[in-house]
């Protein structure tokens, strides 16, 4: 075990995978000499060479399309898109190609590409360095969507993603790249994709969150202890395929649900969690399902602290839910 | 070439009879596709668009395989999921295509980088039309190919029409081949109705690529003698006179006259061959018509390597609906 920040954990996972398997390679903008604009790939060019840490021209469709071609041939490419906000020129390659190759070929062409990309607000990034558009990807059959919130999970989930037979969109919460640190395992230690994690157990209300919303949700849950409220916090970790049994089991126990994400509310990922609960845990519910989310606007630069859910808003929503019934 | 033409004609009829839902004919492009296919090695990776019948035949794809795909039946390798003409066969290095235009162009570059990394001496060849030279992935593909100097041959069949848009409105450039220049990729125009010229150009480009001298863009100038697809009526946008002019240059007629002039072929042989290929098509069709429908729940497979619990649940639901007669294939 060593101590690492979340971004260092990403770096160590890439290192572990590349050392273990010569068919793992990286491609993206500024990932080689520069080590990535967030330094996620620092030192990897020196260690593994320019054939495996490939600085590409500035084209997201080029990066992702190239990675798709490499994966069809059998390699395990890990593409970095500098910010999730810039992924859209490559959206056609993701949705029309990457997600559908196995399916449209009747199983002849698996296409296991990992696309790593920092997402989310809280870094004064304005409209185009802050968005949280995970729902676009979770909506697309054929993709897996993973969001870690701790260094250990970033390490173990990224290793799982790289050796997964399916394409994975790996969303890295850049706001907490360096603000959280913790122990990470050594070697090829994988966390399973598709499993939620109970951050803290509770009996009165379930709070569902992921990525950079885990720290404020944790703070909110802790502060409610003083009010005599026992809140369970579930880190979803994998958005697709979702761990429905964990979501349902938690609400069967607590009878109340608060869903937190920084993405816009309308058709946001939380709507799917609410629908799962309405379908499968309706008779366990004692109160309406609540959502604490971003607003249905583009992402505002100077006013981002008003846009993003914080511990106080989450706390209030949990209190309202518990007091409702 | 004659087999491709006979098959195309039969499939157009099948669509008109309502026996297949849709069809994309390749007529007029046989020399370009077959000349290219013959110049390649079976280990080379092809990234087709959806108008590559002649090319598929050079890879030993059988008429039965193609017809089963068009019918989407129990023997369709793609399990009834794709529209006709969007076929692919991994064991023939014929990558399964899609409908979005140009996406395969950049993928071929990635596959070439992967082949080089593995030390495989092969080339990759994306196939696309004049319309695709306006797509994002054409530019990304040529740019990446130039930068990484990959063993890729970009094979553009300029058939003059992107559905209703003429080549002159697709780009102000004089040729499509010259677009390679800006990316450091040599471009070459060939007469796509001349099977020998296409063969030689692809052979040369392949040798360059294998020698490590990088990619080539080939523009094969052809003409789409048929509609874009069975949903299209080309009389809305192009003249009979233009069509008649290009029919004079039909690659099959051209090759036939070449052979007749050289004394290597006779009218009798030609008529016999035509009869033979039509017979082949008829027999393949007769065999295909005995194949049953695709498994009704198989469309829930291959979304992921293993079915998710949600897909298991949806399969169960579908089975119940089938059993109750609430849904029909």
């Amino acid at each position: 075990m060593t101590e690492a920040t979340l971004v260092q954990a990403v770096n160590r996972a890439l290192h572990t995978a590349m050392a273990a398997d010569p068919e793992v390679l990286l491609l993206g903008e500024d990932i080689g000499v520069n080590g990535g604009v967030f330094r996620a790939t620092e030192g990897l060019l020196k260690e593994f060479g320019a054939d495996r840490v490939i600085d590409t021209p500035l084209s997201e469709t080029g990066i992702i399309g190239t990675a798709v071609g490499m994966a069809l041939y059998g390699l395990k490419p890990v593409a970095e898109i500098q910010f999730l906000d810039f992924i859209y020129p490559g959206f056609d390659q993701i949705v029309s190609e990457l997600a559908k190759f196995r399916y449209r070929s009747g199983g002849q062409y698996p296409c296991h590409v990992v696309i790593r990309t920092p997402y989310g607000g809280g870094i004064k990034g304005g409209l185009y360095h802050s968005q949280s558009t995970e729902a676009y990807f979770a909506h697309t059959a054929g993709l897996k969507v993973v969001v870690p919130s701790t260094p250990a999970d970033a390490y173990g989930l990224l290793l799982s993603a790289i050796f997964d037979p399916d394409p994975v969109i790996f969303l890295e919460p850049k706001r907490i790249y360096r603000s959280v640190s913790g122990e990470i395992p050594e070697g090829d230690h994988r966390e399973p994709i598709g499993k939620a994690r109970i951050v803290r157990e509770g009996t009165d209300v379930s709070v569902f969150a992921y990525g950079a919303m885990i720290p404020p949700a944790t703070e909110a849950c802790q502060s409610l202890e003083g009010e005599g409220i026992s809140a369970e916090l579930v880190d979803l970790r994998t958005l697709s395929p979702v761990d429905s049994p964990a979501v349902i089991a938690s609400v069967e126990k607590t009878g109340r649900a608060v869903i937190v994400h920084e993405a816009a509310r309308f058709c946001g990922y939380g709507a799917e969690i609410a629908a799962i609960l309405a379908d499968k845990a309706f008779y366990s519910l004692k109160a309406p399902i609540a959502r604490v989310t971003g607003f249905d606007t583009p992402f505002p630069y100077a006013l981002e602290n008003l846009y993003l859910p914080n511990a106080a808003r989450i706390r209030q929503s949990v209190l309202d839910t518990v007091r409702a019934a | 070439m004659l087999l491709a033409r006979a098959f195309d004609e039969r499939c157009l009829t099948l669509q008109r009879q309502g026996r297949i839902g849709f069809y994309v004919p390749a007529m007029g492009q046989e020399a370009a596709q077959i000349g290219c296919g013959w110049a390649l090695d079976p280990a080379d990776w092809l990234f087709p668009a959806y108008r590559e019948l002649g090319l598929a035949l050079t890879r030993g794809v059988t008429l039965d395989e193609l017809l089963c795909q068009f019918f989407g039946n129990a023997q369709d390798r793609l399990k009834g999921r794709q529209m006709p003409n969007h076929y692919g066969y991994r064991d023939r290095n014929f990558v399964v295509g899609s409908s979005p235009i140009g996406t395969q162009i950049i993928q071929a570059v990635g596959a070439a980088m992967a082949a080089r990394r593995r030390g495989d001496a092969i080339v990759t060849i994306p196939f696309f039309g004049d319309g695709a030279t306006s797509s994002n992935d054409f530019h990304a593909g040529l740019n990446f190919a130039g930068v990484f100097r990959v063993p890729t041959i970009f094979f553009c069949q300029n058939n003059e029409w992107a559905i209703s848009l003429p080549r002159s409105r697709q780009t102000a450039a004089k040729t499509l081949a010259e677009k390679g220049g800006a990316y450091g990729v040599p471009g070459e125009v060939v007469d796509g109705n001349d099977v020998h010229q296409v063969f030689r150009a692809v052979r040369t480009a392949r040798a360059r690529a294998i020698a490590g001298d990088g990619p080539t863009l080939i523009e094969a100038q052809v003409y789409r003698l048929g509609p874009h697809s069975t949903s299209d009526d080309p009389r809305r946008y192009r003249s009979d006179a233009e069509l008649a002019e290009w029919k004079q240059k039909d690659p099959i007629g051209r090759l036939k006259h070449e052979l007749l002039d050289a004394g290597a072929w006779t009218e009798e042989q030609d008529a016999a061959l035509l009869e033979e290929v039509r017979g082949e098509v008829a027999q393949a069709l007769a065999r295909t018509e005995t194949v049953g429908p695709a498994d009704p729940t198989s469309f829930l497979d291959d979304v992921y390597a293993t079915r998710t619990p949600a897909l298991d649940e949806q399969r169960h639901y579908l089975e119940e609906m089938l059993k109750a007669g609430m849904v029909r294939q």
Side-chain angles (χ1 to χ4, degrees):
Chain A
M1 299 289 258
T2 47
E3 185 83 2
T5 62
L6 201 151
V7 72
Q8 285 167 342
V10 168
N11 182 277
R12 296 321 298 163
L14 292 172
H15 187 281
T16 300
M18 294 179 84
D21 186 341
E23 304 232 304
V24 176
L25 51 80
L26 315 183
L27 67 168
E29 295 160 12
D30 308 300
I31 66 166
V33 178
N34 195 42
V37 297
F38 288 101
R39 307 288 174 256
T41 52
E42 192 153 74
L44 300 177
L45 172 68
K46 205 170 163 195
E47 180 133 7
F48 297 105
D51 285 349
R52 294 182 68 194
V53 182
I54 303 168
D55 271 325
T56 68
L58 201 165
S59 168
E60 288 75 18
T61 191
I63 295 166
I64 297 166
T66 300
V68 167
M70 289 174 163
L72 295 175
Y73 206 82
L75 301 188
K76 299 183 183 75
V78 182
E80 176 177 305
I81 298 298
Q82 209 159 72
F83 287 83
L84 176 59
D85 311 71
F86 303 151
I87 205 165
Y88 306 108
F91 201 57
D92 193 21
Q93 283 290 340
I94 297 174
V95 172
S96 305
E97 303 292 323
L98 178 59
K100 295 179 174 51
F101 247 110
R102 180 192 292 280
Y103 189 78
R104 81 184 194 213
S105 65
Q108 298 179 86
Y109 287 98
C111 197
H112 41 263
V113 171
V114 177
I115 300 175
R116 295 180 36 245
T117 183
Y119 85 95
I123 61 152
K124 291 273 182 258
L127 279 83
Y128 303 112
H129 298 78
S130 305
Q131 295 169 84
S132 185
T133 56
E134 60 276 11
Y136 294 153
F137 304 97
H139 183 63
T140 300
L143 300 177
K144 292 178 176 174
V145 183
V146 174
V147 193
S149 73
T150 68
D153 279 354
Y155 184 85
L157 287 167
L158 183 52
L159 277 170
S160 283
I162 293 170
F163 296 107
D164 196 274
D166 296 309
V168 179
I169 307 296
F170 194 82
L171 300 172
E172 299 172 2
K174 59 181 176 284
R175 183 189 195 178
I176 56 171
Y177 257 158
R178 292 183 174 78
S179 66
V180 303
S181 68
E183 299 267 293
I184 59 167
E186 311 258 341
D188 187 2
H189 178 89
R190 303 182 198 177
E191 276 297 315
I193 289 175
K195 292 280 170 221
R197 179 174 65 94
I198 309 291
V199 179
R200 66 194 312 274
E201 293 204 33
T203 52
D204 297 328
V205 57
S206 301
V207 179
F208 299 101
Y210 49 91
M213 290 293 100
I214 294 297
T218 306
E219 188 188 331
C221 292
Q222 281 166 355
S223 79
L224 287 162
E225 279 172 13
E227 309 274 338
I229 293 171
S230 166
E232 175 150 300
L233 176 59
V234 180
D235 180 353
L236 294 169
R237 300 200 298 182
T238 298
L239 305 187
S240 177
V242 61
D243 188 356
S244 296
V247 171
I248 295 160
S250 181
V251 170
E252 282 176 345
K253 178 170 73 174
T254 64
R256 299 178 184 88
V258 175
I259 304 157
V260 184
H261 58 63
E262 58 186 284
R265 187 181 193 84
F266 185 76
C267 284
Y269 186 76
E272 187 62 36
I273 299 297
I276 289 169
L277 292 172
D279 277 350
K280 303 278 174 66
F282 185 78
Y283 297 107
S284 301
L285 285 169
K286 298 173 194 157
I289 299 166
R291 285 184 287 166
V292 186
T293 67
F295 293 83
D296 291 332
T297 66
F299 194 97
Y301 170 64
L303 307 172
E304 71 175 358
N305 289 334
L306 303 179
Y307 180 94
L308 289 165
N310 61 12
R313 280 174 59 198
I314 299 166
R315 182 180 196 276
Q316 188 59 47
S317 181
V318 173
L319 266 176
D320 291 347
T321 300
V322 172
R323 285 171 183 165
Chain B
M1 286 165 65
L2 216 49
L3 178 61
R5 182 67 61 91
F7 186 71
D8 247 356
E9 283 169 351
R10 188 71 190 89
C11 290
L12 284 173
T13 319
L14 283 178
Q15 193 278 337
R16 279 189 218 112
Q17 294 167 339
R19 291 154 82 188
I20 58 176
F22 177 78
Y23 189 69
V24 179
M27 46 185 63
Q29 301 181 209
E30 294 91 346
Q33 295 181 9
I34 291 171
C36 177
W38 281 341
L40 297 168
D41 188 274
D44 295 337
W45 273 47
L46 313 182
F47 285 79
Y50 43 64
R51 199 188 300 282
E52 262 67 68
L53 171 62
L55 186 72
L57 296 177
T58 69
R59 281 298 162 119
V61 177
T62 66
L63 302 185
D64 293 63
E65 285 176 304
L66 296 170
L67 287 166
C68 286
Q69 196 270 322
F70 302 165
F71 282 89
N73 65 23
Q75 281 174 24
D76 171 13
R77 187 66 191 79
L78 312 184
K79 308 183 188 175
R81 292 174 191 161
Q82 286 244 64
M83 284 175 93
N85 304 85
H86 296 61
Y87 41 79
Y89 305 93
R90 185 164 197 133
D91 56 356
R92 257 63 60 85
N93 295 321
F94 195 94
V95 177
V96 65
S98 65
S99 306
I101 296 299
T103 47
Q104 73 280 17
I105 299 173
I106 180 72
Q107 292 165 6
V109 174
M113 290 170 79
R116 185 165 61 192
R117 164 136 193 87
R118 287 214 177 144
D120 299 341
I122 64 148
V123 300
T124 67
I125 313 95
F127 294 81
F128 52 94
D130 39 310
T133 63
S134 295
S135 73
N136 298 338
D137 289 342
F138 171 78
H139 299 285
L142 281 169
N143 190 38
F144 275 52
V147 168
F148 295 113
R149 223 175 150 76
V150 293
T152 297
I153 303 168
F154 296 88
F155 194 79
C156 176
Q157 295 168 76
N158 167 13
N159 70 11
E160 296 291 330
W161 292 94
I163 306 188
S164 69
L165 199 78
R167 152 64 186 86
S168 59
R169 280 286 301 278
Q170 200 62 247
T171 173
K174 255 170 78 185
T175 69
L176 303 176
E178 72 192 47
K179 287 172 176 261
Y183 298 111
V185 175
E188 186 185 351
V189 176
V190 299
D191 179 351
N193 287 323
D194 180 348
V195 71
H196 312 288
Q197 209 185 115
V198 174
F199 181 85
R200 281 194 301 272
V202 175
R203 261 292 155 91
T204 307
R206 188 176 188 280
R208 271 171 38 79
I210 294 290
D213 293 334
T216 306
L217 168 61
I218 294 175
E219 174 187 353
Q221 293 183 336
V222 295
Y223 191 78
R224 193 188 78 212
L225 292 175
H228 162 70
S229 75
T230 48
S231 308
D232 174 44
D233 176 7
R235 286 170 306 182
R236 292 175 68 91
Y237 52 80
R238 67 185 191 190
S239 70
D240 292 344
E242 182 185 299
L243 180 62
E245 191 190 321
W246 278 96
K247 274 190 172 164
Q248 299 298 315
K249 303 179 196 165
D250 184 324
I252 294 179
R254 177 171 172 167
L255 184 60
K256 175 182 159 184
H257 286 292
E258 234 176 75
L259 292 170
L260 288 175
D261 291 349
W265 195 241
T266 64
E267 287 286 0
E268 293 70 37
Q269 282 177 303
D270 200 66
L273 181 59
L274 187 59
E275 184 140 337
E276 184 189 321
V277 295
R278 283 182 177 154
E280 263 184 65
V281 173
Q283 286 163 22
L285 182 58
R287 285 190 296 269
T288 304
E289 284 177 325
T290 66
V291 178
D295 171 356
T297 59
S298 67
F299 78 88
L300 291 154
D301 293 331
D302 303 318
V303 181
Y304 298 97
T306 50
R307 270 205 312 274
T308 60
L311 284 169
D312 271 333
E313 203 178 302
Q314 289 173 24
R315 167 181 290 247
H316 179 70
Y317 164 78
L318 178 63
E319 283 167 349
E320 293 297 308
M321 292 295 105
L322 280 164
K323 224 180 287 170
M326 304 287 284
V327 292
R328 268 187 305 169
Q329 210 165 341

